[in-house]
Amino acid sequence: MFFERPEGGNRAILISQVIDSFDDQPDNEEFELLVDAADFEQLAHIKGHRRSPSPRYFIGDGKLEELKSAIEAFEAGVVIFNHTLSPSQERNLEKALNCFVLDRTGLILDIFSQRAQTYEGRLQVELAQCQHMITRLVRGWTHLERQQGGTGTRGGPGETQLELDKRMLRAHIRQVEKRLAKVRASRAQNRRARQRAEKPVISLVGYTNAGKSSLFNAISGADVLEKNMLFATLDTTLRKVLIDRLGEVLFADTVGFVKQLPHKLVDAFRATLEESIYADLLLHVIDASDPHRDEKMDAVDTVLGDIHADHVPQLRIYNKIDQLEGVEPRLERDDRGQPSAVWMSAKTGAGVELLKLAIFECLQKDTQQTTLVLPPEYAACRSELFSKGCVQSEEISELGEYILAVQVSTPFLNQLKAHYPKIQLVNSSSNACT
């Protein structure tokens, strides 16, 4: 059950208002990118200023007349607000303008409905849409106004049909929630299996269009869609990546964030976002060339707080340095000497090795320095250790055994012992980071 486009098609007039009483003011550039991502044709962008929103129309009477004239002049079928409107404001505007009205939440839901590809993703979008729709059903039943009639009637227009529809929609929401619960249970089971395998999980988070998918592809060799568009990808992707001296690490690419991300979407996508909650490390991908990057970083941190993922260690990745002059790849450290940020370009590959080094240092709390004794038939194990850059020195015993001095993560060492039970460990010591 996805939203259908109005009969007016995709010809849209945009409207943004600076409201003095609001803390967050509209980002017009991002708004236009969202409209493009939804495949609407932008005919005009009307801007204005008010001390506070009008309870009836959100905008004032003068701006309402300006909108009417623009709709008539451009033959527009849709008006899109860069704000969240109440159900009554939407109904009043549609009646006054004789035109379909879409607010910011509805716009983002429309984009998500077009982009969701997996079964889970489509269920999540469907749930968010139903929850959004149930507060707005009344506008579809004004033609049943004659049903009100009678002495002492307390109902509104089309009340009987409206209540029937609400009950049907609530029942559908419960069905979708049950399906999502099964998907979440399956995801939780898979997560427990990964934890038993002791493979670290790294989750990529960031503002939409910061280059998460490009970075994911650059480091994992995956082929996730890369496009200069907001919300180009929605569905979570998991890939195994070999990191020197760590072994296999799981990377999870999650949905991008925006300012004022609708709470309905945050709730609906909670199962997907749980990959960030249970991750061992978050890579916060930032568009280094964006002049508003600090505001967008704050927006991402806000959502991470909303889903209770703000406790997970975070490494900031300043991506797209190829769009800046005189900026070279570099690794920044905090006062304790731990990696705090990497400046790089996923597009050109500059700084990818620095990123891998930073990941190793962030996750090496369970790293050991030890000596392994491998029997001659474990040549494959020896090759695996060399391929991951774990070996510091090697000797061959008189019996043909491989004696390797290695620095290796505990999870990877446990994987080796499970696959090669004849491995002998001597002189093991921890190299935990402080």
Side-chain angles (χ1 to χ4, degrees):
M1 177 186 288
F2 294 104
F3 285 147
E4 295 182 358
R5 283 289 169 85
E7 294 181 0
N10 65 345
R11 295 172 57 80
I13 292 178
L14 285 54
I15 181 162
S16 300
Q17 294 271 283
V18 174
I19 306 295
D20 292 341
S21 60
F22 286 1
D23 293 331
D24 293 325
Q25 298 303 331
D27 183 335
N28 294 333
E29 181 180 354
E30 177 181 278
F31 178 45
E32 292 177 359
L33 290 174
L34 285 170
V35 175
D36 282 340
D39 294 327
F40 281 106
E41 179 185 356
Q42 300 182 29
L43 305 175
H45 192 166
I46 298 174
K47 303 168 186 176
H49 180 276
R50 285 182 64 86
R51 292 182 179 178
S52 60
S54 163
R56 184 171 178 81
Y57 296 116
F58 189 87
I59 56 177
D61 292 337
K63 196 62 64 178
L64 185 67
E65 292 302 319
E66 184 178 350
L67 259 180
K68 288 180 180 179
S69 299
I71 291 169
E72 184 178 350
F74 290 101
E75 298 181 351
V78 185
V79 173
I80 307 177
F81 277 71
N82 191 14
H83 309 274
T84 299
L85 302 175
S86 69
S88 62
Q89 286 170 338
E90 273 195 23
R91 291 194 297 270
N92 294 335
L93 284 165
E94 289 190 341
K95 186 175 181 179
L97 299 173
N98 194 27
C99 180
F100 187 81
V101 174
L102 198 63
D103 71 350
R104 181 182 173 87
T105 299
L107 176 64
I108 294 176
L109 287 172
D110 183 271
I111 297 171
F112 274 49
S113 71
Q114 296 179 50
R115 303 288 165 74
Q117 299 296 323
T118 65
Y119 175 67
E120 180 185 9
R122 293 175 71 85
L123 280 178
Q124 290 171 142
V125 174
E126 186 172 349
L127 177 60
Q129 288 182 323
C130 288
Q131 292 171 338
H132 181 71
M133 189 187 304
I134 200 167
T135 62
R136 287 157 164 77
L137 278 179
V138 69
R139 71 182 180 194
W141 297 105
T142 54
H143 65 286
L144 300 177
E145 196 166 337
R146 290 188 299 274
Q147 288 187 5
Q148 181 170 353
T151 304
T153 301
R154 302 180 61 185
E159 183 182 6
T160 302
Q161 182 64 57
L162 178 63
E163 289 306 316
L164 285 172
D165 277 11
K166 282 189 175 182
R167 281 197 291 273
M168 290 175 61
L169 195 51
R170 290 190 187 102
H172 186 73
I173 288 174
R174 288 193 293 270
Q175 291 178 357
V176 175
E177 287 176 336
K178 287 180 181 179
R179 294 174 194 161
L180 268 178
K182 293 181 180 179
V183 175
R184 288 166 180 164
S186 176
R187 184 182 287 276
Q189 184 176 6
N190 292 337
R191 188 183 301 114
R192 287 192 293 271
R194 292 197 299 268
Q195 290 171 342
R196 287 194 296 270
E198 297 183 302
K199 292 181 180 179
V201 176
I202 299 175
S203 180
L204 275 68
V205 298
Y207 211 83
T208 183
N209 210 32
K212 291 190 297 85
S213 296
S214 299
L215 177 62
F216 184 76
N217 290 342
I219 200 168
S220 70
D223 57 353
V224 175
L225 174 66
E226 302 174 25
K227 199 169 183 180
N228 186 23
M229 178 184 290
L230 303 189
F231 299 120
T233 54
L234 294 182
D235 300 306
T236 298
T237 306
L238 289 170
R239 288 290 187 276
K240 295 178 183 178
V241 179
L242 291 176
I243 302 293
D244 287 349
R245 296 174 286 174
L246 278 179
E248 283 188 346
V249 175
L250 282 174
F251 276 78
D253 183 19
T254 60
V255 63
F257 303 152
V258 293
K259 288 186 290 186
Q260 303 169 19
L261 189 67
H263 287 290
K264 296 181 182 67
L265 276 177
V266 174
D267 291 339
F269 275 75
R270 189 168 296 276
T272 300
L273 297 173
E274 280 180 353
E275 295 297 344
S276 301
I277 301 173
Y278 295 103
D280 298 285
L281 178 67
L282 297 181
L283 299 188
H284 182 169
V285 185
I286 302 156
D287 183 352
S289 65
D290 190 335
H292 305 293
R293 71 186 187 203
D294 290 340
E295 298 173 21
K296 295 181 177 180
M297 288 163 57
D298 291 341
V300 172
D301 289 335
T302 297
V303 176
L304 291 175
D306 290 342
I307 64 173
H308 308 295
D310 47 350
H311 67 282
V312 182
Q314 185 181 125
L315 179 65
R316 293 189 169 178
I317 311 300
Y318 290 91
N319 190 27
K320 302 186 182 182
I321 63 170
D322 54 292
Q323 299 181 18
L324 298 173
E325 293 185 6
V327 178
E328 297 295 329
R330 68 177 186 270
L331 171 59
E332 295 181 350
R333 300 179 182 274
D334 58 22
D335 296 337
R336 300 175 300 161
Q338 295 297 300
S340 60
V342 177
W343 292 73
M344 61 168 293
S345 169
K347 181 179 180 180
T348 65
V352 170
E353 293 306 315
L354 286 177
L355 173 58
K356 291 182 178 181
L357 173 63
I359 290 172
F360 167 74
E361 293 188 19
C362 287
L363 296 178
Q364 73 167 349
K365 290 180 288 187
D366 294 329
T367 297
Q368 300 180 32
Q369 283 188 331
T370 187
T371 300
L372 303 181
V373 180
L374 312 181
E377 63 267 26
Y378 277 10
C381 179
R382 170 186 176 273
S383 176
E384 191 171 352
L385 286 163
F386 269 101
S387 68
K388 293 175 175 57
C390 301
V391 180
Q392 297 174 324
S393 64
E394 178 187 31
E395 297 178 11
I396 306 293
S397 73
E398 294 179 354
L399 299 176
E401 299 169 318
Y402 305 107
I403 304 174
L404 306 176
V406 299
Q407 183 175 1
V408 61
S409 71
T410 300
F412 180 47
L413 184 59
N414 291 337
Q415 294 174 32
L416 289 177
K417 289 191 292 184
H419 286 93
Y420 304 99
K422 295 182 182 180
I423 290 178
Q424 300 179 47
L425 275 71
V426 294
N427 301 326
S428 179
S429 63
S430 173
N431 270 349
C433 291
T434 58

